[in-house]
Short mmCIF file of all heavy atoms in Angstrom, two decimals:
data_model
loop_
_atom_site.label_atom_id
_atom_site.label_comp_id
_atom_site.label_asym_id
_atom_site.label_seq_id
_atom_site.Cartn_x
_atom_site.Cartn_y
_atom_site.Cartn_z
N GLY A 1 115.71 96.17 117.82
CA GLY A 1 115.87 97.38 118.62
C GLY A 1 116.65 98.44 117.87
O GLY A 1 117.71 98.15 117.30
N ASP A 2 116.17 99.65 117.85
CA ASP A 2 116.79 100.76 117.12
C ASP A 2 118.08 101.18 117.82
O ASP A 2 118.06 101.58 118.99
CB ASP A 2 115.80 101.92 117.06
CG ASP A 2 116.26 103.07 116.21
OD1 ASP A 2 117.42 103.08 115.75
OD2 ASP A 2 115.44 103.99 116.00
N LEU A 3 119.21 101.11 117.11
CA LEU A 3 120.51 101.50 117.67
C LEU A 3 120.83 102.98 117.45
O LEU A 3 121.95 103.41 117.68
CB LEU A 3 121.62 100.62 117.08
CG LEU A 3 121.60 99.18 117.61
CD1 LEU A 3 122.51 98.29 116.78
CD2 LEU A 3 121.99 99.16 119.07
N ASP A 4 119.85 103.77 117.04
CA ASP A 4 119.98 105.22 116.93
C ASP A 4 121.19 105.63 116.09
O ASP A 4 121.96 106.50 116.47
CB ASP A 4 120.05 105.85 118.33
CG ASP A 4 119.85 107.35 118.28
OD1 ASP A 4 119.13 107.83 117.38
OD2 ASP A 4 120.43 108.06 119.13
N PHE A 5 121.34 104.99 114.94
CA PHE A 5 122.41 105.34 114.01
C PHE A 5 121.79 105.38 112.61
O PHE A 5 121.39 104.36 112.07
CB PHE A 5 123.54 104.32 114.09
CG PHE A 5 124.79 104.70 113.35
CD1 PHE A 5 125.10 106.03 113.09
CD2 PHE A 5 125.68 103.73 112.94
CE1 PHE A 5 126.27 106.38 112.42
CE2 PHE A 5 126.85 104.07 112.27
CZ PHE A 5 127.14 105.39 112.01
N VAL A 6 121.69 106.60 112.05
CA VAL A 6 120.96 106.84 110.81
C VAL A 6 121.82 107.68 109.87
O VAL A 6 122.49 108.61 110.31
CB VAL A 6 119.63 107.59 111.08
CG1 VAL A 6 118.87 107.83 109.79
CG2 VAL A 6 118.78 106.85 112.08
N ALA A 7 121.75 107.37 108.58
CA ALA A 7 122.36 108.20 107.55
C ALA A 7 121.32 108.43 106.47
O ALA A 7 120.54 107.53 106.15
CB ALA A 7 123.59 107.52 106.96
N SER A 8 121.30 109.64 105.91
CA SER A 8 120.29 110.00 104.90
C SER A 8 120.94 110.59 103.66
O SER A 8 121.99 111.24 103.74
CB SER A 8 119.31 111.03 105.46
OG SER A 8 118.61 110.49 106.56
N ILE A 9 120.27 110.37 102.54
CA ILE A 9 120.73 110.90 101.26
C ILE A 9 119.49 111.24 100.44
O ILE A 9 118.47 110.56 100.53
CB ILE A 9 121.63 109.87 100.53
CG1 ILE A 9 122.35 110.49 99.34
CG2 ILE A 9 120.86 108.61 100.16
CD1 ILE A 9 123.48 109.61 98.77
N THR A 10 119.57 112.31 99.64
CA THR A 10 118.48 112.65 98.73
C THR A 10 118.99 112.42 97.31
O THR A 10 119.83 113.19 96.81
CB THR A 10 118.02 114.11 98.91
OG1 THR A 10 117.59 114.28 100.27
CG2 THR A 10 116.87 114.44 97.97
N PRO A 11 118.55 111.33 96.69
CA PRO A 11 119.03 111.00 95.34
C PRO A 11 118.59 112.04 94.31
O PRO A 11 117.63 112.77 94.51
CB PRO A 11 118.37 109.64 95.05
CG PRO A 11 117.92 109.12 96.37
CD PRO A 11 117.63 110.31 97.21
N SER A 12 119.29 112.05 93.19
CA SER A 12 118.94 112.96 92.11
C SER A 12 118.02 112.31 91.08
O SER A 12 117.38 113.01 90.30
CB SER A 12 120.21 113.48 91.43
OG SER A 12 120.97 112.40 90.92
N ALA A 13 117.92 110.96 91.08
CA ALA A 13 117.04 110.27 90.11
C ALA A 13 116.66 108.89 90.62
O ALA A 13 117.45 108.22 91.29
CB ALA A 13 117.76 110.14 88.77
N ALA A 14 115.45 108.45 90.27
CA ALA A 14 114.98 107.12 90.67
C ALA A 14 115.72 106.01 89.93
O ALA A 14 115.66 104.85 90.33
CB ALA A 14 113.48 106.99 90.43
N THR A 15 116.42 106.36 88.87
CA THR A 15 117.20 105.35 88.13
C THR A 15 118.55 105.09 88.79
O THR A 15 119.26 104.17 88.40
CB THR A 15 117.42 105.79 86.68
OG1 THR A 15 118.04 107.09 86.68
CG2 THR A 15 116.09 105.84 85.92
N SER A 16 118.90 105.91 89.77
CA SER A 16 120.18 105.72 90.48
C SER A 16 120.10 104.49 91.38
O SER A 16 119.02 103.96 91.66
CB SER A 16 120.48 106.94 91.36
OG SER A 16 120.69 108.09 90.59
N LYS A 17 121.24 104.07 91.86
CA LYS A 17 121.37 103.04 92.89
C LYS A 17 122.05 103.72 94.08
O LYS A 17 122.82 104.67 93.92
CB LYS A 17 122.23 101.87 92.43
CG LYS A 17 121.78 101.21 91.16
CD LYS A 17 120.61 100.32 91.39
CE LYS A 17 120.31 99.53 90.12
NZ LYS A 17 118.94 99.19 89.99
N ILE A 18 121.75 103.22 95.29
CA ILE A 18 122.42 103.71 96.48
C ILE A 18 123.28 102.59 97.04
O ILE A 18 122.77 101.50 97.33
CB ILE A 18 121.42 104.19 97.56
CG1 ILE A 18 120.50 105.29 97.01
CG2 ILE A 18 122.17 104.66 98.82
CD1 ILE A 18 121.20 106.57 96.59
N ARG A 19 124.56 102.86 97.16
CA ARG A 19 125.45 101.88 97.80
C ARG A 19 125.51 102.20 99.28
O ARG A 19 125.91 103.29 99.69
CB ARG A 19 126.85 101.93 97.20
CG ARG A 19 127.77 100.87 97.79
CD ARG A 19 129.10 100.84 97.11
NE ARG A 19 129.89 99.71 97.61
CZ ARG A 19 131.15 99.52 97.30
NH1 ARG A 19 131.78 100.37 96.48
NH2 ARG A 19 131.79 98.49 97.80
N PHE A 20 125.05 101.24 100.08
CA PHE A 20 125.06 101.35 101.53
C PHE A 20 126.29 100.59 102.03
O PHE A 20 126.46 99.41 101.74
CB PHE A 20 123.79 100.72 102.12
CG PHE A 20 123.83 100.55 103.61
CD1 PHE A 20 123.40 101.54 104.45
CD2 PHE A 20 124.34 99.38 104.18
CE1 PHE A 20 123.46 101.39 105.83
CE2 PHE A 20 124.41 99.21 105.54
CZ PHE A 20 123.97 100.22 106.38
N GLN A 21 127.14 101.28 102.77
CA GLN A 21 128.30 100.64 103.40
C GLN A 21 128.33 101.06 104.86
O GLN A 21 128.06 102.22 105.18
CB GLN A 21 129.61 101.08 102.73
CG GLN A 21 129.72 100.66 101.28
CD GLN A 21 130.92 101.31 100.62
OE1 GLN A 21 130.91 102.51 100.34
NE2 GLN A 21 131.95 100.51 100.39
N ALA A 22 128.65 100.12 105.73
CA ALA A 22 128.76 100.44 107.15
C ALA A 22 129.86 99.60 107.77
O ALA A 22 130.08 98.45 107.38
CB ALA A 22 127.44 100.18 107.86
N VAL A 23 130.54 100.20 108.72
CA VAL A 23 131.48 99.49 109.58
C VAL A 23 131.02 99.79 111.00
O VAL A 23 131.02 100.94 111.44
CB VAL A 23 132.94 99.95 109.36
CG1 VAL A 23 133.87 99.23 110.33
CG2 VAL A 23 133.37 99.70 107.92
N LEU A 24 130.56 98.73 111.67
CA LEU A 24 129.95 98.86 112.99
C LEU A 24 130.78 98.13 114.03
O LEU A 24 131.20 97.00 113.81
CB LEU A 24 128.54 98.29 112.98
CG LEU A 24 127.60 98.81 111.88
CD1 LEU A 24 126.31 98.03 111.89
CD2 LEU A 24 127.36 100.29 112.05
N GLN A 25 130.99 98.78 115.18
CA GLN A 25 131.68 98.17 116.33
C GLN A 25 130.58 97.76 117.30
O GLN A 25 129.91 98.61 117.87
CB GLN A 25 132.61 99.19 116.99
CG GLN A 25 133.51 99.93 116.02
CD GLN A 25 134.64 99.09 115.46
OE1 GLN A 25 135.04 98.10 116.04
NE2 GLN A 25 135.14 99.49 114.31
N THR A 26 130.35 96.45 117.47
CA THR A 26 129.18 95.98 118.20
C THR A 26 129.54 94.99 119.31
O THR A 26 130.60 94.39 119.30
CB THR A 26 128.21 95.27 117.24
OG1 THR A 26 128.86 94.11 116.70
CG2 THR A 26 127.76 96.18 116.11
N ALA A 27 128.60 94.80 120.24
CA ALA A 27 128.73 93.79 121.29
C ALA A 27 127.35 93.50 121.85
O ALA A 27 126.40 94.25 121.65
CB ALA A 27 129.66 94.27 122.40
N LEU A 28 127.26 92.37 122.57
CA LEU A 28 126.04 91.96 123.25
C LEU A 28 126.40 91.66 124.69
O LEU A 28 127.53 91.27 125.00
CB LEU A 28 125.46 90.71 122.57
CG LEU A 28 124.08 90.25 123.02
CD1 LEU A 28 123.00 91.25 122.58
CD2 LEU A 28 123.76 88.87 122.45
N SER A 29 125.44 91.81 125.60
CA SER A 29 125.71 91.63 127.03
C SER A 29 125.83 90.17 127.46
O SER A 29 126.02 89.90 128.64
CB SER A 29 124.62 92.33 127.86
OG SER A 29 123.36 91.74 127.58
N SER A 30 125.73 89.23 126.53
CA SER A 30 125.91 87.82 126.88
C SER A 30 126.48 87.07 125.69
O SER A 30 126.62 87.63 124.60
CB SER A 30 124.57 87.20 127.30
OG SER A 30 123.71 87.13 126.19
N THR A 31 126.80 85.80 125.89
CA THR A 31 127.40 85.01 124.83
C THR A 31 126.34 84.27 124.02
O THR A 31 125.79 83.28 124.46
CB THR A 31 128.39 83.99 125.41
OG1 THR A 31 127.69 83.17 126.34
CG2 THR A 31 129.54 84.66 126.10
N HIS A 32 126.04 84.77 122.85
CA HIS A 32 125.12 84.11 121.95
C HIS A 32 125.11 84.86 120.63
O HIS A 32 125.79 85.88 120.47
CB HIS A 32 123.71 84.04 122.55
CG HIS A 32 122.89 82.89 122.05
ND1 HIS A 32 123.34 81.61 122.00
CD2 HIS A 32 121.63 82.85 121.55
CE1 HIS A 32 122.40 80.81 121.52
NE2 HIS A 32 121.35 81.55 121.24
N PHE A 33 124.30 84.39 119.68
CA PHE A 33 124.21 85.05 118.38
C PHE A 33 123.46 86.38 118.50
O PHE A 33 122.51 86.52 119.25
CB PHE A 33 123.48 84.11 117.40
CG PHE A 33 122.43 84.77 116.56
CD1 PHE A 33 122.79 85.52 115.45
CD2 PHE A 33 121.09 84.64 116.85
CE1 PHE A 33 121.83 86.14 114.66
CE2 PHE A 33 120.11 85.25 116.07
CZ PHE A 33 120.49 86.00 114.98
N TYR A 34 123.93 87.36 117.75
CA TYR A 34 123.17 88.59 117.57
C TYR A 34 123.40 89.09 116.15
O TYR A 34 124.26 88.57 115.44
CB TYR A 34 123.52 89.66 118.61
CG TYR A 34 124.90 90.24 118.52
CD1 TYR A 34 125.13 91.44 117.85
CD2 TYR A 34 125.99 89.61 119.11
CE1 TYR A 34 126.39 91.99 117.77
CE2 TYR A 34 127.25 90.16 119.04
CZ TYR A 34 127.45 91.34 118.37
OH TYR A 34 128.71 91.89 118.29
N GLY A 35 122.61 90.05 115.75
CA GLY A 35 122.75 90.52 114.39
C GLY A 35 122.26 91.93 114.20
O GLY A 35 121.75 92.57 115.11
N ILE A 36 122.45 92.38 112.97
CA ILE A 36 122.07 93.72 112.54
C ILE A 36 121.11 93.60 111.37
O ILE A 36 121.33 92.81 110.45
CB ILE A 36 123.31 94.53 112.09
CG1 ILE A 36 124.30 94.73 113.23
CG2 ILE A 36 122.91 95.85 111.44
CD1 ILE A 36 123.79 95.61 114.35
#
C-alpha cells in the first residue's frame, strides 16, 4: 500500500550512485509483522 511519501532527485550522471536514507515513524492497527 502506497504511504504517500515520495522524494525525487535528478542526477547529473548515470555513473553516479544515489544514497537513499529514511527515518520513518510507523505503526500497524494490530499486533503482527509489517514492513516497508
Side-chain angles (χ1 to χ4, degrees):
D2 186 353
L3 288 168
D4 194 30
F5 190 24
V6 180
S8 298
I9 191 168
T10 301
S12 58
T15 56
S16 295
K17 304 282 188 209
I18 302 297
R19 184 175 186 187
F20 169 90
Q21 296 171 287
V23 177
L24 308 173
Q25 312 287 337
T26 63
L28 188 69
S29 62
S30 68
T31 58
H32 207 49
F33 135 78
Y34 68 97
I36 297 293

